[in-house]
Amino acid sequence: MDWNNEYNRKYKFFHEITGEAMRVHSKYKPGLLESAYEAALKYLLEQNGHQVDRQVYLPIYWDEVKLDQNYRMDLVIDSNIIVELKAVSHIETIHRRQLFNYMNLTHLPYGMIINFGAESLYSEWYHRNPTTGQIDRVKLL
């Protein structure tokens, strides 16, 4: 089998999610709050058969003690993809760090940042190595 085809098949879900995000961006354009894009993307993905949880609480622990603090992940798709949505002029390092922390705290294998705030939709895709915990950017082929 061709390596490129296998690679693209492995990460097909990233293409599907980005495609639906493009539909949302095309309809709503930049300028809305993240929550509007979030609701629309959730709806479209569910119409395509995905399980989508919105504003998923992520508790924070100190050793074994649950602290009085939670984070909220924008979307968790099919129980293994964290999608962090932004509506900003451009993605900053702090946005990536937020996603990486969510991926490390949950041990979920995949993460995406999608930015609806610019004239063109922007997305980044990431994979977390289950053995090392290293997070690598998935490149387009």
Side-chain angles (χ1 to χ4, degrees), residues 65-129:
V65 178
K66 183 178 175 192
L67 301 177
D68 186 21
Q69 174 66 39
N70 292 304
Y71 287 107
R72 288 188 299 177
M73 298 179 285
D74 292 336
L75 299 173
V76 176
I77 302 170
D78 299 330
S79 300
N80 68 348
I81 309 161
I82 299 169
V83 179
E84 187 59 31
L85 303 180
K86 299 296 175 193
V88 295
S89 59
H90 61 278
I91 296 297
E92 303 271 354
T93 300
I94 193 69
H95 301 131
R96 291 178 187 95
R97 287 183 181 156
Q98 179 184 12
L99 175 64
F100 298 165
N101 281 326
Y102 291 168
M103 291 174 72
N104 283 325
L105 288 168
T106 62
H107 301 281
L108 292 181
Y110 303 108
M112 295 180 73
I113 297 174
I114 301 175
N115 184 22
F116 290 94
E119 289 304 314
S120 296
L121 181 88
Y122 178 80
S123 68
E124 294 179 0
W125 311 343
Y126 294 94
H127 178 255
R128 182 181 183 279
N129 183 311

Side-chain angles (χ1 to χ4, degrees), residues 31-48:
L32 299 177
L33 296 175
E34 289 175 16
S35 57
Y37 304 113
E38 185 179 293
L41 184 57
K42 178 183 188 296
Y43 171 77
L44 291 176
L45 291 169
E46 287 177 338
Q47 295 303 302
N48 288 327

